[in-house]
Amino acid sequence: MCRLLPIVVLLVSLVALSSDAEVVSSLTTCKSSFYKGQIPKNIATNNHVRICQLLNNKYHYATLFDKEKRVPVYSAYVFKSGNNSERPLWYYEPQVSDPSSSEKSMLEYKPGSGVKNQATDEDYQDATAYKYTKGHVNPFSHNSGDGATATCTYTNVVPQLSNFNNVIWSAHETNLANILKGRCQVPNTPYVIVGAYPSTDKFIGVDKKVNVPEFMWSAFCCADKNNKGILSGAYWAKHESDSTVYQISMSDLEKKLTKDPVNPVTIFVGGCKAQSQGFLSEMTDGWVAEGMFGKTLVEYVTSLLKSLWATWFE
């Protein structure tokens, strides 16, 4: 049975305020999705739409969406474990299609719905998309209940190669969930931002306007009960079928996302403890393959260096 998912879209426009939703030019309405309520710096442009995803009178996460490329730039959320929900049908956002629309609820997609500025089932079923699947930015598995349901919207997915989506990036989502469940438990709060960096020449869809990402990235900041960052991490993976997810420093990820050196990107504007990989980071440019092998390698080399230091200098 189909049901509507109430969700509020915040568009960059000067519109009157309604009794149940505030339309503004920033994501401050859903600032609880960001560490210290601060959105990433120098990522948004005038072509981007700010979306506060609302379901059953509760904000679940925030999305920065590119109407021209018809894909999300990033989604920010607070990680929640224990999701056993069944995935609902896919939905589209009427206010992304038409900024003047009075419809504030996400609607179930049906052929002929007149959807604009975002992908649809028809785009993913087009011949140009035969290698691609709908890849979540804010993962369904990182949310629970209504929050998980709210991730099944075209404003939160990008075209991903099947093996990348179902194997490589899916494994990263699981690994990240395990880290947050093991090292950022209550009373700490795990803030996560996941994004898709657009390619310059790869598009799919009926009119080839849905951008295929060049690479995917994610970053997290674990805040203690005093809202102080105590642990952070950053990751990226080139969007290829045989890709590898790398753990890198937060500063290196910010450099990869920066398009204008004069205005560098800052992911966690409120400041968060930097990921430190010490001497190994210097030897590898901070790139350490994610997963058991990468972790074992880090631990092994760190132990070896400590042993050599003790032998030579103590």
Side-chain angles (χ1 to χ4, degrees), residues 26-27 31 33-35 37-45 48 50 62-64 73-77 192-195 217 219 254 257 263-270:
S26 73
L27 290 166
K31 64 181 181 180
S33 296
F34 299 92
Y35 174 57
Q38 300 291 314
I39 65 172
K41 184 178 180 182
N42 294 326
I43 293 183
T45 71
H48 295 159
R50 283 77 169 168
T63 299
L64 184 67
V73 179
Y74 67 71
S75 284
Y77 59 97
V192 186
I193 301 179
V194 182
W217 61 272
E254 290 171 338
L257 299 178
N263 298 297
V265 166
T266 302
I267 297 175
F268 293 110
V269 178

Side-chain angles (χ1 to χ4, degrees), residues 73-98:
V73 179
Y74 67 71
S75 284
Y77 59 97
V78 174
F79 171 81
K80 296 178 179 64
S81 61
N83 173 39
N84 295 311
S85 306
E86 293 185 3
R87 296 198 180 194
L89 298 174
W90 286 93
Y91 299 84
Y92 75 95
E93 184 50 64
Q95 287 192 339
V96 171
S97 288
D98 180 7

Side-chain angles (χ1 to χ4, degrees), residues 48-285:
H48 295 159
V49 174
R50 283 77 169 168
I51 305 174
C52 282
Q53 310 282 15
L54 180 70
L55 174 61
N56 291 336
N57 298 316
K58 181 180 179 181
Y59 291 112
H60 295 283
Y61 66 101
T63 299
L64 184 67
F65 187 81
D66 190 325
K67 291 195 301 182
E68 290 189 355
K69 294 181 173 63
R70 302 187 181 183
V71 290
V73 179
Y74 67 71
S75 284
Y77 59 97
V78 174
F79 171 81
K80 296 178 179 64
S81 61
N83 173 39
N84 295 311
S85 306
E86 293 185 3
R87 296 198 180 194
L89 298 174
W90 286 93
Y91 299 84
Y92 75 95
E93 184 50 64
Q95 287 192 339
V96 171
S97 288
D98 180 7
S100 65
S101 172
S102 60
E103 179 58 70
K104 299 181 177 69
S105 299
M106 182 185 297
L107 302 176
E108 177 190 343
Y109 173 75
K110 295 179 180 179
S113 298
V115 178
K116 300 178 182 178
N117 303 323
Q118 57 198 293
T120 66
D121 277 353
E122 291 172 331
D123 289 310
Y124 282 92
Q125 294 166 1
D126 188 71
T128 59
Y130 75 96
K131 296 187 297 184
Y132 298 93
T133 57
K134 295 187 284 284
H136 276 68
V137 176
N138 176 2
F140 181 84
S141 60
H142 282 199
N143 298 267
S144 61
D146 289 341
T149 301
T151 67
C152 293
T153 164
Y154 283 112
T155 56
N156 183 53
V157 294
V158 295
Q160 289 183 350
L161 295 164
S162 180
N163 192 65
F164 182 91
N165 182 12
N166 298 321
V167 179
I168 297 170
W169 198 247
S170 177
H172 165 64
E173 292 172 346
T174 299
N175 288 338
L176 181 55
N178 290 335
I179 290 172
L180 297 176
K181 285 188 287 186
R183 304 182 65 185
C184 193
Q185 300 174 336
V186 176
N188 302 324
T189 304
Y191 295 93
V192 186
I193 301 179
V194 182
Y197 191 89
S199 62
T200 57
D201 57 357
K202 291 183 180 180
F203 294 85
I204 66 162
V206 176
D207 51 7
K208 295 183 179 181
K209 289 187 177 181
V210 182
N211 187 262
V212 176
E214 178 182 332
F215 64 84
M216 296 294 297
W217 61 272
S218 67
F220 76 87
C221 176
C222 178
D224 65 14
K225 61 182 180 180
N226 298 315
N227 211 21
K228 177 182 178 182
I230 58 175
L231 180 70
S232 66
Y235 309 84
W236 84 285
K238 194 170 183 179
H239 183 212
E240 297 176 343
S241 291
D242 58 351
S243 186
T244 299
V245 179
Y246 291 100
Q247 179 179 359
I248 60 177
S249 67
M250 194 71 66
S251 60
D252 282 345
L253 177 57
E254 290 171 338
K255 290 176 183 177
K256 289 184 69 65
L257 299 178
T258 296
K259 297 180 179 180
D260 179 6
V262 178
N263 298 297
V265 166
T266 302
I267 297 175
F268 293 110
V269 178
C272 191
K273 182 179 179 181
Q275 186 78 19
S276 176
Q277 298 179 61
F279 183 56
L280 179 65
S281 178
E282 296 178 12
M283 292 192 297
T284 62
D285 276 341

